[in-house]
Amino acid sequence: MLVNDWMSAPAITVDIQDSMHRAVELMTERAIGILPVLDNGKLVGVVTDRDLKKAAPSSVALFETRQIVYHLARVKIEGIMTRNPVTVGPDHTIEETAQILRENNISGCPVLDREEEVAGVITKNDIFRALISLSGLPKRGLQFGFMVEDRPGSIKEITDTIRRYHARLVSIMTSFDKAPSGYRYLYVRTFNIDRKRLPDMKRDLSEIAKMLYIVDLRDGTRETYASY
């Protein structure tokens, strides 16, 4: 999954000489928290809702409305923006981008194309949307959690068993994080399962690998069968 498919585009931007009032206005109207800052069409920084809060009067309650408006109109973006912003390309994967945002403790960043032009903006919310889609959650159904041996064929044994019960596979994800040596965690989401056959499926799957849990989401209800 690439940034190009999940970024917000075209990006809403501000000019380096725009006022703080303009930034507040755009963020409020568009319900966004980051604005790339351009100088002659080139990216020179970003301004975020955090930057605006830092630049706001220290005690707004002491100011009259006209004083606040005057302050916002007087302060230029150039004086409050973050320079040399972190950026990614449209061909970055969602996983790479999530790691970059996390390592830099930021909520989003501009996306630059090969000509160094701002192609869009990618934020944590965009990444959440992508991961939710990747997980298959909108299909509801069941998610199985397993600890499986890290060997060829171990995942196929699980999925073949699920298919024997005529279930539809939506997503298959694995992780080595915190798994014991020689094992990995496997998460499988399925739908179109005959719940009457679920006990038999659980038995067959438990004979293949250690089952951690089953989360059943259907018709607005939630059931969890956990091994812990």
Side-chain angles (χ1 to χ4, degrees), residues 110-168:
V111 181
L112 296 186
D113 62 22
R114 293 180 180 178
E115 287 72 41
E116 297 294 303
E117 301 288 340
V118 177
V121 170
I122 188 79
T123 68
K124 287 182 178 179
N125 282 341
D126 297 320
I127 291 173
F128 291 156
R129 288 192 301 112
L131 295 180
I132 289 170
S133 175
L134 181 65
S135 74
L137 179 62
K139 285 287 188 182
R140 311 301 286 173
L142 286 81
Q143 186 187 74
F144 296 85
F146 301 95
M147 184 169 69
V148 301
E149 294 181 60
D150 182 27
R151 59 173 174 79
S154 62
I155 296 176
K156 186 175 185 298
E157 291 171 2
I158 296 289
T159 56
D160 283 351
T161 300
I162 292 174
R163 287 191 180 97
R164 283 207 305 271
Y165 284 85
H166 306 292
R168 297 280 302 278

Side-chain angles (χ1 to χ4, degrees), residues 6-205:
W6 294 94
M7 66 183 182
S8 298
I12 308 301
T13 65
V14 288
D15 187 82
I16 193 170
Q17 293 302 318
D18 280 340
S19 67
M20 183 176 168
H21 181 270
R22 175 62 175 160
V24 171
E25 193 175 51
L26 282 173
M27 286 188 182
T28 303
E29 290 177 354
R30 303 301 183 99
I32 54 179
I34 180 172
L35 293 166
V37 182
L38 306 183
D39 185 7
N40 292 321
K42 293 297 181 181
L43 181 72
V44 292
V46 294
V47 61
T48 66
D49 48 8
R50 186 185 305 176
D51 296 322
L52 296 179
K53 289 173 184 176
K54 287 181 180 179
S58 57
S59 182
V60 173
L62 298 178
F63 286 75
E64 294 181 4
T65 301
R66 63 188 179 204
Q67 291 176 307
I68 296 173
V69 172
Y70 172 76
H71 174 81
L72 296 179
R74 185 173 57 86
V75 176
K76 298 297 183 184
I77 294 295
E78 184 176 14
I80 64 171
M81 70 181 187
T82 299
R83 297 178 181 274
N84 302 314
V86 172
T87 64
V88 295
D91 59 348
H92 273 64
T93 65
I94 288 295
E95 308 94 287
E96 287 179 291
T97 304
Q99 184 177 37
I100 289 170
L101 297 187
R102 182 175 179 274
E103 289 177 346
N104 289 277
N105 192 30
I106 54 179
S107 60
C109 67
V111 181
L112 296 186
D113 62 22
R114 293 180 180 178
E115 287 72 41
E116 297 294 303
E117 301 288 340
V118 177
V121 170
I122 188 79
T123 68
K124 287 182 178 179
N125 282 341
D126 297 320
I127 291 173
F128 291 156
R129 288 192 301 112
L131 295 180
I132 289 170
S133 175
L134 181 65
S135 74
L137 179 62
K139 285 287 188 182
R140 311 301 286 173
L142 286 81
Q143 186 187 74
F144 296 85
F146 301 95
M147 184 169 69
V148 301
E149 294 181 60
D150 182 27
R151 59 173 174 79
S154 62
I155 296 176
K156 186 175 185 298
E157 291 171 2
I158 296 289
T159 56
D160 283 351
T161 300
I162 292 174
R163 287 191 180 97
R164 283 207 305 271
Y165 284 85
H166 306 292
R168 297 280 302 278
L169 295 174
V170 183
S171 67
I172 301 171
M173 297 184 289
T174 69
S175 172
F176 290 97
D177 192 32
K178 298 183 180 180
S181 178
Y183 290 85
R184 70 169 106 175
Y185 293 118
L186 169 67
Y187 308 98
V188 181
R189 184 172 294 280
T190 68
F191 73 105
N192 198 35
I193 289 180
D194 181 354
R195 262 70 176 191
K196 294 178 181 178
R197 303 189 67 191
L198 187 56
D200 292 336
M201 182 191 290
K202 288 170 58 180
R203 182 199 63 230
D204 291 348
L205 290 171

